[in-house]
Structures are given as C-alpha cells and as structure tokens.
Amino acid sequence: MKATLDQIVAEARELFRERGYAGASMQDLADRVGLKKPSLYTRFPNKESLVPEVLALTLDETFADLHEESCEWTVEYEAIIRRIATTLSDRQRCIGLHLAYGVSEDTPLAATAVRGYFAALRDRIANVLARGVEANRAEDLATDALVRLEGATLWIITSGDVRPMERAVSSLIDEAKRLAH
Amino acid sequence: MKATLDQIVAEARELFRERGYAGASMQDLADRVGLKKPSLYTRFPNKESLVPEVLALTLDETFADLHEESCEWTVEYEAIIRRIATTLSDRQRCIGLHLAYGVSEDTPLAATAVRGYFAALRDRIANVLARGVEANRAEDLATDALVRLEGATLWIITSGDVRPMERAVSSLIDEAKRLAH
DNA sequence: GTCTATAGAAAGATAGAC
DNA sequence: GTCTATCTTTCTATAGAC
C-alpha cells in the first residue's frame, strides 16, 4: 500500500469526522491505511499531533483554486460561502466543529490548532467582505456567516436534511448583495 | 450523599457536555455522584441509556415556566429564543450538539433520542411561529433559528466570544418582528 | 442497594527483532 | 521502516459477598 503522509492524514480526518477525537483510535487508523500501529508512531509522535495536520490539510483544500481579488467581491464571497457549504453538505459533518467540541485542556496542541483553523476561515471570509464594508464589521459578518454554515450541519446529522444549509447560503449571499448596493 | 436519579442524570449531562459521549466514562460519573461503578449499573443498564434521560431532563428544563399562548406570539418567540441562547452561553456548549456529533450507528437508541430532542425543540419554536406565519414556513424558520443558535456555540468554544450568539438572537428577534407587521 | 473484586476488551504507546 | 510482542492504563460491564 505504501501510504504517504498525506494519505494517512486524510484517513485520520475521515476517522475524526466520523467518530470524533475521543472516539477515533490509532488502531482504526492503522487498519485503514494498511499499516500496523507502531508504524504510525514512527510518523506521528502521538494521536494529538494528527489534529494540526488534519486541519492544515483541510484549510489547504478549502482555499484551493479560490482566487482572491480577481473579480467583484460579492462574487468571490459567494464562491467561498458555497465552497464551505458544499464541503459540509457532502461530508455531512464538519471536522473542525467535531474537533472543537472534542478537544479540551487535556489536548492543548489540538485545541490551539482548532482555534487557528476557525480563525483562518473567518479571516479569509473577512478579507473578502472588507472590500465592501468597514473592517470591524467585515470580521463580525464573517464570523456570523461561518457559524451559520456550521450550525446547519446539525440538521444534516440529525435528519439528513440539507435545506437549512441551502437556506443559510441563500440568505448570506442575499445579505451580501444588499450590502454591496 | 444518596444520589437521586435526577442528580445522576444531571451529572451525566455535565460529563457528556464536557467530554462528549465517547470521552465520558462511567467511572467518571460514579466518582462525581459519590457511588461505585457497579451501583450505577443497578440504575442504568448501560452508558447509552443515559442519553435519552439526559436529553429528556434538558427538554424539561428548557421549557419550564415558558407559558404558551399567554401573550403575543412575538413576545413568546423572543422568550424561547432567549431561553435557549442564555442556556447555551452559560453552559458554553450544547449537550445536544455534542451528542449529535458523538453518537452513531453503534448507539442507535442514543441517536434516536438526539433526533427526538432537536425535533421537539424545533416543534416548540415552530408552534409559536405558526401563530404568525403559515405552518410550513414556521417549521423552516424554527429550524433555521435553532441551527443559528447552535452554530454560535462554536465561537464560544473556540474563543470564548459570546457576541456571535448575541447577534444571532438580535437578528432572529428582529426578523420575527418584521414578519409580524 | 452498595460494595470488592474481576473479567475481558481496547486504548495509547514503546521495546526491540528483522 | 515495518513488524511482533508487550506494557500499562482505562474502558464497559458483571459476579457475588454483605
């Protein structure tokens, strides 16, 4: 199988997304990537160290091919909101939210990574909004947009219903267009 | 100590809220209520059976002293939205959301209980809204309100910032008042 | 009803052979 | 670099004394 680091991290992400931090085991991960448990520990010192890697990979993928400053800001805003919403709907649940709820003082490096993950998402959205509104307001609007999308995953999990996510996306985009006028 | 059933369930809720389903242990719970582990198993057949009890208690508390049909629907709507938001802000995180993310096919009774919990919350909000808008729309609006409040807990967890929750509450109440006119 | 004691499985992590 | 084997702890859950 010859699993690469990125493949292991991607599998770890799946595992964390499905079972959460506490519910995911190194044995499960080893099985999924076709390695024995001790071989995992040659690449990662412990389970907690997987969390920053998982979130960094996810950030990279989320921002891939999203060109900044290349068009009107409302178009770019719509693109990033839809990118996040589509990813959440496809995967059913948010790895970041699951980890945010799952890590604690016992896992400080993981907790720091989660904070950084959401701050990065917010900042990226805020940067787009700042082209149309004042900076402080852009940050608040970005935060509110993000938590709305995240909240909508709750309904996907509990009932499989993606319409709250779709309504959140529509509402956010409409609000942005209203701000632009 | 002589722990009552309700006290045990309340402690279990704290534990689930802090550590999630997988991260909470029966040993921890036993320690918190001053019993030995086998004594817990005389009251609850297994860990999963705690979940429906925890959510039922939480529903009861959420709806306590919220009188229905006693005033204008916008006032009642504001009361229930604020009740939910205040509870979430005080407790920092949502037990229901944590459990929604934490239970799976391995714990079908718990998963069913979580679905029922959020359906009950939505229905209660929808009932209020139905006094002002058409029934289908009331259900959608109730769902959207609920997921917005739940999503705002993410920012409380990751940064301790309750302002996204406060903005969500203001926005929801403003929207309701606009609908009432 | 609550306890001591323990079973049996699984967790995170490491030693050391190859 | 990957493995077998193992350590230590912790988990859910139960048997059985009092």
Side-chain angles (χ1 to χ4, degrees):
Chain A
M1 170 159 279
K2 270 297 184 185
T4 66
L5 273 182
D6 269 5
Q7 285 170 335
I8 296 173
V9 171
E11 277 301 337
R13 176 173 54 182
E14 269 306 296
L15 205 53
F16 284 145
R17 185 154 33 211
E18 290 171 21
R19 305 207 191 271
Y21 183 77
S25 83
M26 297 297 270
Q27 183 64 63
D28 279 344
L29 180 55
D31 292 345
R32 289 197 187 202
V33 299
L35 285 173
K36 298 298 176 184
K37 214 170 17 162
S39 302
L40 280 182
Y41 282 93
T42 66
R43 296 162 157 89
F44 304 95
N46 48 51
K47 178 169 144 181
E48 187 180 7
S49 69
L50 286 164
V51 172
E53 307 276 1
V54 157
L55 294 175
L57 176 66
T58 303
L59 269 188
D60 279 352
E61 289 182 6
T62 302
F63 295 149
D65 311 313
L66 271 182
H67 305 299
E68 221 166 341
E69 311 261 348
S70 65
C71 50
E72 216 206 332
W73 73 266
T74 53
V75 176
E76 199 182 319
Y77 179 73
E78 181 167 343
I80 193 165
I81 293 296
R82 286 197 190 281
R83 165 75 60 95
I84 295 171
T86 302
T87 303
L88 293 177
S89 292
D90 286 351
R91 311 268 193 228
Q92 310 260 64
R93 23 180 79 194
C94 175
I95 173 66
L97 176 55
H98 209 159
L99 288 171
Y101 260 88
V103 302
S104 64
E105 322 83 60
D106 306 332
T107 50
L109 296 180
T112 300
V114 169
R115 270 192 293 278
Y117 172 76
F118 282 111
L121 278 175
R122 177 207 56 195
D123 288 347
R124 177 65 183 250
I125 300 172
N127 277 342
V128 179
L129 285 165
R131 291 163 60 192
V133 304
E134 187 258 334
N136 274 351
R137 180 147 166 67
E139 186 160 307
D140 285 352
L141 286 170
T143 306
D144 293 350
L146 195 48
V147 302
R148 276 185 82 167
L149 299 178
E150 296 288 339
T153 64
L154 175 60
W155 226 252
I156 300 180
I157 293 175
T158 52
S159 70
D161 186 1
V162 297
R163 288 172 302 171
M165 180 71 79
E166 293 167 355
R167 290 195 295 269
V169 169
S170 301
S171 170
L172 289 170
I173 292 172
D174 286 352
E175 279 174 28
K177 285 180 181 162
R178 229 172 294 137
L179 283 172
H181 292 165
Chain B
M1 171 160 276
K2 270 296 183 186
T4 66
L5 273 183
D6 268 5
Q7 285 171 334
I8 296 173
V9 171
E11 278 299 339
R13 176 172 54 180
E14 270 304 297
L15 205 54
F16 284 145
R17 185 150 39 208
E18 290 171 19
R19 305 205 191 271
Y21 183 77
S25 83
M26 297 296 270
Q27 182 63 64
D28 278 344
L29 180 56
D31 291 345
R32 289 198 186 201
V33 297
L35 286 174
K36 298 298 176 183
K37 219 173 5 168
S39 303
L40 280 183
Y41 282 94
T42 65
R43 295 163 158 88
F44 304 95
N46 47 51
K47 179 169 141 182
E48 187 179 6
S49 68
L50 287 164
V51 173
E53 308 276 0
V54 158
L55 294 175
L57 175 67
T58 303
L59 269 188
D60 279 351
E61 290 181 6
T62 301
F63 295 149
D65 311 315
L66 270 183
H67 306 299
E68 222 166 340
E69 311 260 347
S70 64
C71 50
E72 215 206 333
W73 73 267
T74 53
V75 176
E76 198 182 319
Y77 179 73
E78 180 166 344
I80 192 166
I81 293 297
R82 285 197 191 280
R83 167 74 59 95
I84 294 172
T86 302
T87 304
L88 292 177
S89 292
D90 286 352
R91 312 266 192 231
Q92 310 259 64
R93 23 180 80 194
C94 175
I95 174 66
L97 176 55
H98 209 159
L99 288 171
Y101 261 87
V103 301
S104 64
E105 322 83 60
D106 305 333
T107 49
L109 295 179
T112 300
V114 170
R115 271 192 292 278
Y117 172 75
F118 283 111
L121 279 176
R122 178 207 55 195
D123 289 347
R124 177 64 182 250
I125 302 173
N127 276 344
V128 180
L129 284 165
R131 290 163 59 193
V133 303
E134 187 258 333
N136 274 350
R137 180 146 166 67
E139 186 161 306
D140 284 352
L141 286 170
T143 306
D144 292 350
L146 195 48
V147 303
R148 275 185 84 166
L149 299 178
E150 297 287 339
T153 64
L154 174 60
W155 226 251
I156 299 179
I157 294 174
T158 53
S159 70
D161 185 3
V162 298
R163 288 172 303 171
M165 180 72 79
E166 294 167 355
R167 290 195 296 268
V169 169
S170 300
S171 170
L172 289 169
I173 292 172
D174 286 352
E175 280 174 27
K177 285 180 181 161
R178 230 172 294 135
L179 283 171
H181 291 165

